[in-house]
Amino acid sequence: MSFGKFIVIPIFIALLATSMMVLDIYKESTLRHFVPWIAFQAWAAYFLAGCTLKGGVKVLLAYLGGAAASVAIMELAGVLTDWKLGQWAVPAAVFPVVVVVICAERVPGFDFVPGWFVGAGVYFALISLADSKALSSLHGLSKWDKYLEAGLLLMVSCGVGQVYGVVTVFLRRRYEAMAKGAGKSKGK
């Protein structure tokens, strides 16, 4: 494919990225739980999971699993802190949860383990932002309401990222087929 034909693809993807930023401007009236930085990295995860609908579902399940793993770590660390483990409470809580997460690679549908770690990392970031008061929608909530609200932010944004991934792949494939077909008809 010539650069003249190829440049349409980056321009189209840039338009999609721009539309996500416009969605952020209007999120209060459309998607209150939308966080663009989460959607952008979830969009990338769609490609890492194979650019298929099945891969997109695996990303969603992995992010949900990562959120659940994060809550399990925080809750277990709380119990271990009560047992006077001090600074060792979090490391001790991480160990059994990671064992369970890695076992997910043996369960079809839940076997996109890198997504579990990304989902957990994003979930921990949301909780940390809430604790630092940088994320106002989570500040001041009870612990379990904070967990739920962070989960909604994570999953809605991940879902948006998956939709953008599907649209990107669908339109790119259509364009590439069209460009290839136009090249063949000129050659005849």
Side-chain angles (χ1 to χ4, degrees), residues 21-97:
M21 301 305 0
V22 171
L23 180 61
D24 185 45
I25 292 170
Y26 294 103
K27 73 179 175 187
E28 292 305 317
S29 61
T30 57
L31 287 171
R32 183 175 74 82
H33 290 94
F34 173 65
V35 181
W37 64 266
I38 298 172
F40 269 109
Q41 54 85 27
W43 186 3
Y46 177 81
F47 295 98
L48 295 172
C51 299
T52 64
L53 292 175
K54 183 178 178 181
V57 170
K58 285 183 176 191
V59 171
L60 286 165
L61 292 173
Y63 276 46
L64 184 60
S70 297
V71 171
I73 289 168
M74 289 182 279
E75 288 299 305
L76 183 55
V79 169
L80 296 175
T81 297
D82 292 343
W83 290 355
K84 309 296 184 219
L85 281 176
Q87 67 184 7
W88 297 102
V90 173
V94 166
F95 182 84
V97 174

Side-chain angles (χ1 to χ4, degrees), residues 19-176:
S19 75
M20 190 180 286
M21 301 305 0
V22 171
L23 180 61
D24 185 45
I25 292 170
Y26 294 103
K27 73 179 175 187
E28 292 305 317
S29 61
T30 57
L31 287 171
R32 183 175 74 82
H33 290 94
F34 173 65
V35 181
W37 64 266
I38 298 172
F40 269 109
Q41 54 85 27
W43 186 3
Y46 177 81
F47 295 98
L48 295 172
C51 299
T52 64
L53 292 175
K54 183 178 178 181
V57 170
K58 285 183 176 191
V59 171
L60 286 165
L61 292 173
Y63 276 46
L64 184 60
S70 297
V71 171
I73 289 168
M74 289 182 279
E75 288 299 305
L76 183 55
V79 169
L80 296 175
T81 297
D82 292 343
W83 290 355
K84 309 296 184 219
L85 281 176
Q87 67 184 7
W88 297 102
V90 173
V94 166
F95 182 84
V97 174
V98 170
V99 169
V100 172
V101 167
I102 299 301
C103 287
E105 77 178 41
R106 307 286 294 209
V107 181
F110 291 91
D111 54 352
F112 186 54
V113 174
W116 284 68
F117 281 87
V118 174
V122 172
Y123 191 84
F124 276 122
L126 289 169
I127 295 296
S128 295
L129 289 170
D131 291 343
S132 71
K133 301 180 186 174
L135 191 59
S136 61
S137 67
L138 296 179
H139 180 65
L141 297 176
S142 71
K143 176 176 70 170
W144 288 100
D145 286 342
K146 187 187 304 182
Y147 288 164
L148 179 60
E149 191 72 10
L152 286 170
L153 290 166
L154 177 72
M155 295 311 297
V156 167
S157 301
C158 180
V160 170
Q162 298 315 287
V163 169
Y164 272 74
V166 169
V167 169
T168 301
V169 170
F170 174 78
L171 292 176
R172 181 173 180 157
R173 287 180 180 158
R174 295 279 305 237
Y175 173 74
E176 286 175 343

